[in-house]
Amino acid sequence: PISAIPHKSRELCMILDLAFALTINGVKLQSVNNTIDKSLAPDHSMYELGNIIPRIIWTLATAQHNWPFLMSKVDLKDGYWRLCVNATNAWNFAYVLPKLDDSEETMLVIPDALQMGWSESPAFFCAVTETVRDVAEDNFVAKKKQRRHEMENIMMDLDVDVKRFLPTLTNNTKGIFQHLLEVYIDDFIGLIQAADEDTVQRFSRCILHAIYDAFPPPAVTGSDMGPAVSRKKLEKEGKWETRKEILGWLIDGIHQTIELPPNKCETLCSEITSAIDYARNSPQKYIPLKQFKKIHGRLQFASMAMAVGKPLL
């Protein structure tokens, strides 16, 4: 079956439920997710996801403190559906097209793209985006000349404060500038200390061209999906700034600090207070395991900002 769930940028998002176990003639079959050979999935492509924020913290902490960091986040649109599967494997993702009326003819859909409902989709998708990150990083470090990209002007729409910093840095260039490029599934996260706009522009081009090489635009593919990098998302999150929310953290490139957004702090404090009150008023003096796991997960996330957070937990 196919499911429709609420989506942040449109009314609904369709997800194929590949954990569903079909019953035919009274016999319950195993789901697609239960019958796959997990050893064939490139799980190593996801090993670094939990290390991205610690690496950002390390980069901020060990860099020169008299130069600010600029940050950008480039988000891919409908990334999974841009990865093709071959004609044989596509039948694993078959589903019946929902009908508006029972009298309509039954239509079978055989998707030729990776599905979000498949348990191994993240591993295959991350194998691609990690490769894109490596290509962009290699081209930037090698100082390869990059041709102009049609979306670079969005990223280079620098704030007045940023433009004020760069000339100052150019006249006082000493030491080593730092940069970092990470990818969290479909989010490409860039941090850079730069002495001029040309360096920031070249970093932008390396990121955009590497993405377009792996996920070609409609002019190349003939697809109706539009480009992999959404112009609307890039205008909202992609331009280089000295303060930006990245993976749930507010990162300040001038003071080189990180902090939880106020709403996350309020939610966490409220949940802890609620748990303490519940335990005090409970005859057993404990909270439900599900509630504890939820709070523990939030505290684990918050502990990354504290030097002793991990051993404390």
Side-chain angles (χ1 to χ4, degrees), residues 11-279:
E11 187 176 359
L12 295 169
C13 178
M14 311 305 288
I15 293 182
L16 192 57
D17 185 4
L18 293 169
F20 181 80
L22 200 65
T23 299
I24 300 178
N25 297 328
V27 178
K28 191 171 185 178
L29 306 177
Q30 285 189 293
S31 70
V32 173
N33 283 344
N34 286 334
T35 56
I36 59 174
D37 184 354
K38 292 183 179 291
S39 67
L40 299 178
D43 290 334
H44 58 277
S45 67
M46 300 190 297
Y47 288 171
E48 297 301 319
L49 294 181
N51 295 325
I52 292 176
I53 290 297
R55 271 202 293 267
I56 290 176
I57 293 172
W58 179 262
T59 302
L60 295 174
T62 56
Q64 297 285 335
H65 284 265
N66 55 333
W67 295 312
F69 274 93
L70 302 182
M71 294 164 286
S72 173
K73 185 160 78 74
V74 181
D75 186 14
L76 298 186
K77 183 180 179 182
D78 301 326
Y80 282 16
W81 293 339
R82 296 179 187 276
L83 294 189
C84 298
V85 296
N86 63 40
T88 301
N89 290 332
W91 284 88
N92 291 306
F93 299 149
Y95 64 91
V96 176
L97 188 69
K99 299 180 182 181
L100 293 175
D101 190 285
D102 289 340
S103 63
E104 291 182 6
E105 183 180 5
T106 299
M107 302 290 289
L108 193 64
V109 180
I110 315 298
D112 59 2
L114 204 59
Q115 297 297 303
M116 285 188 285
W118 187 39
S119 60
E120 303 309 311
S121 285
F124 280 95
F125 183 72
C126 287
V128 178
T129 55
E130 283 284 352
T131 301
V132 171
R133 192 219 73 86
D134 292 346
V135 170
E137 170 79 7
D138 289 349
N139 288 340
F140 181 71
V141 171
K143 297 184 178 180
K144 287 188 177 180
K145 188 174 181 180
Q146 298 287 311
R147 66 189 184 280
R148 186 184 179 281
H149 193 279
E150 61 185 30
M151 287 192 174
E152 68 180 68
N153 290 340
I154 300 175
M155 297 180 71
M156 293 300 297
D157 182 17
L158 305 178
D159 289 340
V160 176
D161 290 340
V162 174
K163 290 184 176 181
R164 189 181 77 247
F165 273 120
L166 291 176
T168 305
L169 299 176
T170 306
N171 297 329
N172 297 281
T173 303
K174 295 178 182 178
I176 300 173
F177 289 113
Q178 296 286 345
H179 78 276
L180 181 70
L181 180 59
E182 297 285 353
V183 58
Y184 188 85
I185 305 179
D186 61 351
D187 289 337
F188 290 88
I189 302 158
L191 285 81
I192 187 169
Q193 289 176 312
D196 54 74
E197 288 190 37
D198 289 343
T199 303
V200 182
Q201 184 184 59
R202 187 167 60 83
F203 197 27
S204 304
R205 289 178 177 181
C206 288
I207 296 170
L208 291 171
H209 281 304
I211 292 172
Y212 267 52
D213 287 345
F215 302 97
V220 175
T221 64
S223 169
D224 296 329
M225 291 181 68
V229 178
S230 165
R231 181 173 292 271
K232 186 176 179 181
K233 284 188 175 181
L234 198 62
E235 289 172 350
K236 185 178 179 181
E237 301 177 332
K239 72 175 184 176
W240 293 100
E241 297 173 307
T242 55
R243 184 174 174 86
K244 190 178 288 289
E245 183 171 338
I246 293 175
L247 301 183
W249 289 94
L250 278 176
I251 301 179
D252 190 318
I254 296 177
H255 300 100
Q256 292 169 224
T257 59
I258 72 167
E259 62 185 274
L260 282 176
N263 63 316
K264 281 188 168 62
C265 291
E266 291 169 7
T267 299
L268 182 55
C269 290
S270 176
E271 289 183 351
I272 292 172
T273 302
S274 176
I276 292 172
D277 291 342
Y278 182 95

